[in-house]
Amino acid sequence: MRVGIMTAVSSAYLVGIGLMQLLPVWVTDLEEHRGMSGSDVGVLATLALLAAAGAAALAAPAAASPLRRPYAMVAITVAGAALFTAAFTPPGLPLTGLLIVAGCGAGVAAVIANACVTATEDPSRTAAMMSMIAIVLIALLTALLPLVPHVAGTGAMTLAGLGLVFVAAGLACRWLPPPTPRPTATARSSPGRRPLVVKVLLISIMFGLSDVGAYAYAKDLGMRHGGYSSNGASIVLASSILMSLAVAAVLSGFPLRRRSEKVLLAALAINTVGKIGATLVTGHFGWAASQFAWAIGTSGVLVVQLVYAAARDSTGRLAAVVATGSSIGAALGPGLAGALMERADATGLALMAGLAMTVALIVAALLPGGPADARPLPARLVSTGDA
Protein backbone atom coordinates (compact mmCIF):
# COMPACT_ATOMS: atom_id res chain seq x y z
CA MET A 1 0.00 0.00 0.00
CA ARG A 2 1.34 3.42 -0.91
CA VAL A 3 2.36 5.60 2.03
CA GLY A 4 0.63 8.61 0.47
CA ILE A 5 -2.74 6.85 0.27
CA MET A 6 -2.51 5.62 3.86
CA THR A 7 -1.54 9.09 5.04
CA ALA A 8 -4.45 10.70 3.19
CA VAL A 9 -7.08 8.20 4.35
CA SER A 10 -5.85 8.36 7.96
CA SER A 11 -5.81 12.17 7.85
CA ALA A 12 -9.42 12.34 6.66
CA TYR A 13 -10.45 9.77 9.27
CA LEU A 14 -8.66 11.73 12.02
CA VAL A 15 -10.67 14.84 11.12
CA GLY A 16 -13.86 12.76 10.91
CA ILE A 17 -13.54 11.55 14.50
CA GLY A 18 -11.26 14.23 15.94
CA LEU A 19 -13.84 16.90 16.73
CA MET A 20 -15.82 14.32 18.74
CA GLN A 21 -12.93 12.42 20.34
CA LEU A 22 -11.17 15.64 21.39
CA LEU A 23 -14.39 17.17 22.71
CA PRO A 24 -13.22 17.25 26.37
CA VAL A 25 -10.07 19.12 25.36
CA TRP A 26 -11.59 21.99 23.40
CA VAL A 27 -14.69 22.22 25.57
CA THR A 28 -12.52 22.69 28.67
CA ASP A 29 -10.47 25.30 26.82
CA LEU A 30 -13.57 27.33 25.98
CA GLU A 31 -14.69 27.21 29.59
CA GLU A 32 -11.31 28.30 30.95
CA HIS A 33 -10.26 30.91 28.38
CA ARG A 34 -13.60 32.24 27.18
CA GLY A 35 -15.38 32.21 30.54
CA MET A 36 -18.30 30.26 29.11
CA SER A 37 -20.57 28.20 31.32
CA GLY A 38 -20.73 24.44 31.02
CA SER A 39 -24.27 24.57 29.66
CA ASP A 40 -23.34 27.13 26.98
CA VAL A 41 -20.36 25.09 25.87
CA GLY A 42 -22.54 21.98 25.89
CA VAL A 43 -24.94 23.64 23.47
CA LEU A 44 -22.04 24.59 21.18
CA ALA A 45 -20.68 21.04 21.26
CA THR A 46 -24.11 19.58 20.51
CA LEU A 47 -24.60 21.93 17.56
CA ALA A 48 -21.17 21.03 16.17
CA LEU A 49 -21.91 17.28 16.42
CA LEU A 50 -25.36 17.70 14.89
CA ALA A 51 -23.77 19.64 12.03
CA ALA A 52 -21.34 16.77 11.53
CA ALA A 53 -24.21 14.28 11.43
CA GLY A 54 -26.18 16.37 8.95
CA ALA A 55 -23.17 16.94 6.70
CA ALA A 56 -22.34 13.24 6.78
CA ALA A 57 -25.87 12.38 5.62
CA LEU A 58 -25.77 14.94 2.82
CA ALA A 59 -22.24 14.07 1.71
CA ALA A 60 -22.77 10.28 1.52
CA PRO A 61 -23.49 10.25 -2.26
CA ALA A 62 -20.48 12.50 -2.92
CA ALA A 63 -18.17 10.03 -1.19
CA ALA A 64 -18.14 7.91 -4.36
CA SER A 65 -17.79 10.91 -6.66
CA PRO A 66 -14.70 11.33 -8.88
CA LEU A 67 -14.37 14.76 -7.24
CA ARG A 68 -14.09 13.44 -3.70
CA ARG A 69 -10.43 14.52 -3.42
CA PRO A 70 -11.18 18.23 -3.90
CA TYR A 71 -14.37 17.85 -1.84
CA ALA A 72 -12.33 16.49 1.07
CA MET A 73 -9.52 19.01 0.70
CA VAL A 74 -11.88 21.99 0.64
CA ALA A 75 -14.19 20.75 3.42
CA ILE A 76 -11.37 19.82 5.80
CA THR A 77 -9.28 22.93 5.11
CA VAL A 78 -12.30 25.21 5.63
CA ALA A 79 -13.08 23.35 8.86
CA GLY A 80 -9.52 23.91 10.04
CA ALA A 81 -9.67 27.60 9.18
CA ALA A 82 -12.97 27.87 11.07
CA LEU A 83 -11.45 26.32 14.19
CA PHE A 84 -8.39 28.56 13.98
CA THR A 85 -10.60 31.64 13.68
CA ALA A 86 -12.80 30.41 16.53
CA ALA A 87 -9.78 30.58 18.84
CA PHE A 88 -9.85 34.37 18.54
CA THR A 89 -13.64 34.84 18.40
CA PRO A 90 -15.60 35.90 21.51
CA PRO A 91 -18.71 33.94 22.55
CA GLY A 92 -21.77 34.63 20.47
CA LEU A 93 -23.30 33.87 17.13
CA PRO A 94 -20.02 34.08 15.13
CA LEU A 95 -18.35 31.50 17.38
CA THR A 96 -21.38 29.23 17.07
CA GLY A 97 -21.31 29.53 13.29
CA LEU A 98 -17.59 28.73 13.11
CA LEU A 99 -18.00 25.57 15.19
CA ILE A 100 -20.94 24.49 13.02
CA VAL A 101 -18.75 24.95 9.93
CA ALA A 102 -16.06 22.84 11.60
CA GLY A 103 -18.64 20.16 12.38
CA CYS A 104 -19.77 20.08 8.76
CA GLY A 105 -16.19 19.58 7.61
CA ALA A 106 -15.73 16.73 10.07
CA GLY A 107 -18.89 15.02 8.79
CA VAL A 108 -17.72 15.22 5.17
CA ALA A 109 -14.29 13.92 6.17
CA ALA A 110 -15.80 10.92 7.97
CA VAL A 111 -17.85 9.67 5.02
CA ILE A 112 -15.06 10.20 2.48
CA ALA A 113 -12.47 8.46 4.69
CA ASN A 114 -14.71 5.42 5.09
CA ALA A 115 -15.52 5.31 1.38
CA CYS A 116 -11.83 5.46 0.47
CA VAL A 117 -11.11 2.30 2.44
CA THR A 118 -12.94 0.24 -0.18
CA ALA A 119 -10.74 1.67 -2.97
CA THR A 120 -7.50 0.26 -1.51
CA GLU A 121 -5.89 -3.08 -2.36
CA ASP A 122 -6.63 -4.61 1.06
CA PRO A 123 -9.61 -2.94 2.81
CA SER A 124 -9.21 -5.14 5.91
CA ARG A 125 -5.65 -4.00 6.49
CA THR A 126 -6.44 -0.40 5.56
CA ALA A 127 -9.33 -0.19 8.03
CA ALA A 128 -7.20 -1.63 10.84
CA MET A 129 -4.20 0.57 10.07
CA MET A 130 -6.40 3.65 9.77
CA SER A 131 -7.89 2.97 13.21
CA MET A 132 -4.45 2.37 14.73
CA ILE A 133 -3.02 5.61 13.35
CA ALA A 134 -6.07 7.60 14.45
CA ILE A 135 -5.92 6.16 17.99
CA VAL A 136 -2.25 7.11 18.33
CA LEU A 137 -2.80 10.63 16.96
CA ILE A 138 -5.86 11.24 19.14
CA ALA A 139 -3.86 10.16 22.20
CA LEU A 140 -0.99 12.51 21.27
CA LEU A 141 -3.30 15.42 20.55
CA THR A 142 -5.14 14.84 23.84
CA ALA A 143 -1.83 15.26 25.64
CA LEU A 144 -0.32 18.06 23.53
CA LEU A 145 -3.20 20.40 22.63
CA PRO A 146 -3.83 21.52 26.25
CA LEU A 147 -0.21 22.75 26.31
CA VAL A 148 -0.79 25.19 23.42
CA PRO A 149 -2.53 27.88 25.54
CA HIS A 150 0.37 27.81 28.00
CA VAL A 151 2.88 28.31 25.21
CA ALA A 152 0.85 30.98 23.40
CA GLY A 153 -0.16 32.68 26.62
CA THR A 154 -3.53 33.93 25.45
CA GLY A 155 -6.92 32.91 24.05
CA ALA A 156 -8.60 29.56 23.53
CA MET A 157 -5.57 28.42 21.56
CA THR A 158 -6.43 24.73 21.75
CA LEU A 159 -8.89 25.41 18.93
CA ALA A 160 -6.12 27.14 16.96
CA GLY A 161 -3.85 24.13 17.34
CA LEU A 162 -6.61 21.75 16.32
CA GLY A 163 -7.41 23.99 13.37
CA LEU A 164 -3.82 23.79 12.11
CA VAL A 165 -3.95 19.99 12.41
CA PHE A 166 -7.12 19.97 10.31
CA VAL A 167 -5.55 22.21 7.64
CA ALA A 168 -2.55 19.87 7.39
CA ALA A 169 -4.93 16.91 7.11
CA GLY A 170 -6.83 18.68 4.34
CA LEU A 171 -3.65 19.18 2.35
CA ALA A 172 -2.74 15.50 2.82
CA CYS A 173 -6.06 14.51 1.17
CA ARG A 174 -4.52 15.21 -2.24
CA TRP A 175 -3.39 11.55 -2.16
CA LEU A 176 -6.83 10.03 -1.52
CA PRO A 177 -7.50 7.06 -3.84
CA PRO A 178 -10.00 7.59 -6.70
CA PRO A 179 -13.37 5.85 -6.38
CA THR A 180 -14.31 2.58 -8.01
CA PRO A 181 -16.09 3.13 -11.37
CA ARG A 182 -19.80 3.82 -11.14
CA PRO A 183 -22.17 0.83 -11.16
CA THR A 184 -23.48 -0.49 -14.43
CA ALA A 185 -27.13 -0.42 -15.41
CA THR A 186 -27.46 -4.05 -14.32
CA ALA A 187 -26.02 -3.29 -10.91
CA ARG A 188 -28.37 -0.34 -10.48
CA SER A 189 -31.36 -2.60 -10.83
CA SER A 190 -30.08 -5.38 -8.57
CA PRO A 191 -32.75 -6.17 -5.94
CA GLY A 192 -32.45 -6.32 -2.19
CA ARG A 193 -29.94 -3.50 -1.73
CA ARG A 194 -32.09 -1.02 0.18
CA PRO A 195 -32.64 -3.42 3.14
CA LEU A 196 -28.87 -3.79 3.42
CA VAL A 197 -28.41 0.00 3.57
CA VAL A 198 -31.09 0.29 6.26
CA LYS A 199 -29.52 -2.49 8.35
CA VAL A 200 -26.02 -1.05 8.18
CA LEU A 201 -27.34 2.45 8.96
CA LEU A 202 -29.33 1.20 11.96
CA ILE A 203 -26.39 -0.75 13.40
CA SER A 204 -24.14 2.30 13.06
CA ILE A 205 -26.65 4.63 14.73
CA MET A 206 -27.29 2.30 17.67
CA PHE A 207 -23.59 1.61 18.16
CA GLY A 208 -22.61 5.29 17.93
CA LEU A 209 -25.43 6.43 20.21
CA SER A 210 -24.67 3.96 23.01
CA ASP A 211 -20.88 4.05 22.72
CA VAL A 212 -20.36 7.82 22.64
CA GLY A 213 -23.17 8.43 25.13
CA ALA A 214 -21.86 5.96 27.70
CA TYR A 215 -18.19 6.88 27.17
CA ALA A 216 -18.94 10.49 28.13
CA TYR A 217 -19.41 9.19 31.69
CA ALA A 218 -16.72 6.50 31.69
CA LYS A 219 -14.33 8.30 34.03
CA ASP A 220 -17.12 9.23 36.43
CA LEU A 221 -18.29 5.61 36.53
CA GLY A 222 -14.74 4.44 37.19
CA MET A 223 -14.53 6.69 40.22
CA ARG A 224 -17.98 5.84 41.60
CA HIS A 225 -18.32 2.15 40.71
CA GLY A 226 -14.71 1.11 40.29
CA GLY A 227 -13.55 2.91 43.40
CA TYR A 228 -10.67 4.58 41.55
CA SER A 229 -9.26 8.03 42.11
CA SER A 230 -9.44 10.51 39.25
CA ASN A 231 -5.91 9.62 38.16
CA GLY A 232 -6.57 5.91 38.59
CA ALA A 233 -9.65 6.00 36.39
CA SER A 234 -7.71 7.97 33.77
CA ILE A 235 -4.96 5.33 33.79
CA VAL A 236 -7.48 2.54 33.24
CA LEU A 237 -9.08 4.46 30.37
CA ALA A 238 -5.66 5.13 28.81
CA SER A 239 -4.80 1.44 29.15
CA SER A 240 -8.06 0.51 27.43
CA ILE A 241 -7.06 2.75 24.52
CA LEU A 242 -3.80 0.82 24.23
CA MET A 243 -5.86 -2.38 24.32
CA SER A 244 -7.98 -1.18 21.40
CA LEU A 245 -4.78 -0.32 19.53
CA ALA A 246 -3.55 -3.88 20.02
CA VAL A 247 -6.86 -5.29 18.76
CA ALA A 248 -6.66 -3.19 15.60
CA ALA A 249 -3.09 -4.42 15.07
CA VAL A 250 -4.19 -8.05 15.41
CA LEU A 251 -7.13 -7.58 13.05
CA SER A 252 -4.87 -6.07 10.40
CA GLY A 253 -3.23 -9.46 9.96
CA PHE A 254 -6.40 -11.48 9.32
CA PRO A 255 -8.41 -11.83 6.09
CA LEU A 256 -11.82 -10.81 7.42
CA ARG A 257 -13.81 -10.16 4.25
CA ARG A 258 -15.50 -13.55 3.82
CA ARG A 259 -16.62 -13.88 7.45
CA SER A 260 -16.92 -10.22 8.34
CA GLU A 261 -20.61 -10.43 9.30
CA LYS A 262 -19.84 -13.09 11.93
CA VAL A 263 -16.82 -11.20 13.28
CA LEU A 264 -18.94 -8.03 13.45
CA LEU A 265 -21.62 -9.83 15.45
CA ALA A 266 -18.98 -11.14 17.88
CA ALA A 267 -17.41 -7.68 18.27
CA LEU A 268 -20.81 -6.13 18.95
CA ALA A 269 -21.51 -8.79 21.59
CA ILE A 270 -18.18 -8.16 23.36
CA ASN A 271 -18.79 -4.42 23.20
CA THR A 272 -22.27 -4.85 24.70
CA VAL A 273 -21.09 -6.98 27.63
CA GLY A 274 -18.21 -4.63 28.41
CA LYS A 275 -20.25 -1.45 28.07
CA ILE A 276 -23.09 -2.61 30.30
CA GLY A 277 -20.58 -4.05 32.76
CA ALA A 278 -18.76 -0.71 32.97
CA THR A 279 -22.03 0.99 33.96
CA LEU A 280 -23.11 -1.57 36.58
CA VAL A 281 -20.16 -3.62 37.87
CA THR A 282 -18.45 -2.39 41.04
CA GLY A 283 -14.93 -2.94 42.33
CA HIS A 284 -11.48 -2.28 40.90
CA PHE A 285 -11.06 -5.51 38.96
CA GLY A 286 -14.63 -5.86 37.71
CA TRP A 287 -14.85 -2.31 36.37
CA ALA A 288 -11.40 -2.44 34.74
CA ALA A 289 -12.17 -5.80 33.11
CA SER A 290 -15.46 -4.42 31.78
CA GLN A 291 -13.69 -1.35 30.43
CA PHE A 292 -11.12 -3.49 28.63
CA ALA A 293 -13.85 -5.68 27.10
CA TRP A 294 -15.65 -2.51 26.01
CA ALA A 295 -12.51 -1.19 24.32
CA ILE A 296 -11.81 -4.52 22.60
CA GLY A 297 -15.34 -4.68 21.24
CA THR A 298 -15.32 -1.06 20.12
CA SER A 299 -12.07 -1.46 18.20
CA GLY A 300 -13.40 -4.60 16.55
CA VAL A 301 -16.67 -2.96 15.52
CA LEU A 302 -14.96 0.12 14.07
CA VAL A 303 -12.66 -2.00 11.90
CA VAL A 304 -15.01 -4.80 10.87
CA GLN A 305 -17.91 -2.49 9.97
CA LEU A 306 -15.73 -1.05 7.21
CA VAL A 307 -14.46 -4.46 6.15
CA TYR A 308 -18.05 -5.70 5.80
CA ALA A 309 -19.06 -2.61 3.84
CA ALA A 310 -16.10 -3.05 1.49
CA ALA A 311 -16.95 -6.72 1.02
CA ARG A 312 -20.54 -5.98 0.02
CA ASP A 313 -20.05 -2.84 -2.08
CA SER A 314 -17.02 -1.86 -4.14
CA THR A 315 -17.93 1.82 -4.64
CA GLY A 316 -17.57 2.98 -1.04
CA ARG A 317 -21.19 4.08 -0.73
CA LEU A 318 -22.04 1.51 1.92
CA ALA A 319 -18.93 2.52 3.90
CA ALA A 320 -20.18 6.11 3.71
CA VAL A 321 -23.47 4.93 5.25
CA VAL A 322 -21.47 3.58 8.22
CA ALA A 323 -19.99 7.04 8.81
CA THR A 324 -23.40 8.70 8.46
CA GLY A 325 -24.99 6.41 11.04
CA SER A 326 -22.08 6.75 13.47
CA SER A 327 -22.23 10.55 13.21
CA ILE A 328 -25.97 10.59 13.88
CA GLY A 329 -25.57 8.32 16.90
CA ALA A 330 -22.62 10.32 18.24
CA ALA A 331 -24.62 13.54 18.00
CA LEU A 332 -27.60 12.12 19.88
CA GLY A 333 -25.80 9.92 22.42
CA PRO A 334 -24.32 12.39 24.94
CA GLY A 335 -27.54 14.37 25.37
CA LEU A 336 -29.64 11.25 25.86
CA ALA A 337 -27.08 9.74 28.23
CA GLY A 338 -26.96 12.94 30.28
CA ALA A 339 -30.74 13.06 30.62
CA LEU A 340 -30.85 9.42 31.73
CA MET A 341 -28.02 9.92 34.22
CA GLU A 342 -29.95 12.78 35.84
CA ARG A 343 -33.13 10.73 36.17
CA ALA A 344 -31.94 7.19 36.81
CA ASP A 345 -28.18 7.44 37.38
CA ALA A 346 -26.05 4.61 35.95
CA THR A 347 -29.04 2.29 35.71
CA GLY A 348 -30.55 4.54 33.07
CA LEU A 349 -27.24 4.58 31.20
CA ALA A 350 -27.09 0.79 31.28
CA LEU A 351 -30.67 0.58 30.04
CA MET A 352 -29.90 2.89 27.10
CA ALA A 353 -26.79 0.91 26.18
CA GLY A 354 -28.61 -2.40 26.56
CA LEU A 355 -31.59 -1.45 24.42
CA ALA A 356 -29.52 0.19 21.70
CA MET A 357 -27.05 -2.67 21.46
CA THR A 358 -29.83 -5.28 21.53
CA VAL A 359 -31.25 -3.65 18.41
CA ALA A 360 -27.76 -3.57 16.85
CA LEU A 361 -27.17 -7.25 17.64
CA ILE A 362 -30.52 -8.37 16.24
CA VAL A 363 -29.99 -6.43 13.02
CA ALA A 364 -26.38 -7.63 12.73
CA ALA A 365 -27.60 -11.23 13.01
CA LEU A 366 -29.76 -10.57 9.94
CA LEU A 367 -26.94 -9.21 7.79
CA PRO A 368 -26.36 -11.24 4.62
CA GLY A 369 -23.17 -13.27 4.59
CA GLY A 370 -21.61 -15.56 2.05
CA PRO A 371 -18.83 -14.78 -0.40
CA ALA A 372 -17.71 -11.17 -0.50
CA ASP A 373 -18.71 -10.19 -4.02
CA ALA A 374 -18.37 -6.43 -3.49
CA ARG A 375 -21.18 -5.61 -5.91
CA PRO A 376 -21.60 -1.91 -6.63
CA LEU A 377 -24.30 -0.28 -4.55
CA PRO A 378 -26.71 1.95 -6.48
CA ALA A 379 -26.13 5.64 -5.76
CA ARG A 380 -29.86 6.29 -5.26
CA LEU A 381 -29.94 3.98 -2.24
CA VAL A 382 -27.58 6.20 -0.26
CA SER A 383 -29.05 9.51 -1.25
CA THR A 384 -30.43 11.57 1.59
CA GLY A 385 -33.93 10.72 0.55
CA ASP A 386 -33.51 6.96 0.88
CA ALA A 387 -31.06 6.70 3.72
Side-chain angles (χ1 to χ4, degrees), residues 167-193:
V167 169
L171 296 176
C173 287
R174 61 180 296 184
W175 294 297
L176 286 174
T180 302
R182 289 183 178 275
T184 62
T186 302
R188 283 195 183 98
S189 61
S190 51
R193 307 297 275 169

Side-chain angles (χ1 to χ4, degrees), residues 217-228 281-283 341 345-346:
Y217 295 92
K219 184 175 179 179
D220 180 60
L221 291 171
M223 296 168 64
R224 290 198 291 166
H225 288 186
Y228 289 95
V281 174
T282 59
M341 281 289 285
D345 202 44

Side-chain angles (χ1 to χ4, degrees), residues 315-329:
T315 66
R317 295 186 178 97
L318 193 59
V321 171
V322 172
T324 300
S326 298
S327 298
I328 294 171

Side-chain angles (χ1 to χ4, degrees), residues 44 47-48 51 78 82-83 86 89-90 92-104:
L44 284 180
L47 290 174
V78 169
L83 286 175
T89 304
L93 191 59
L95 178 61
T96 302
L98 289 169
L99 290 177
I100 288 175
V101 170
C104 290

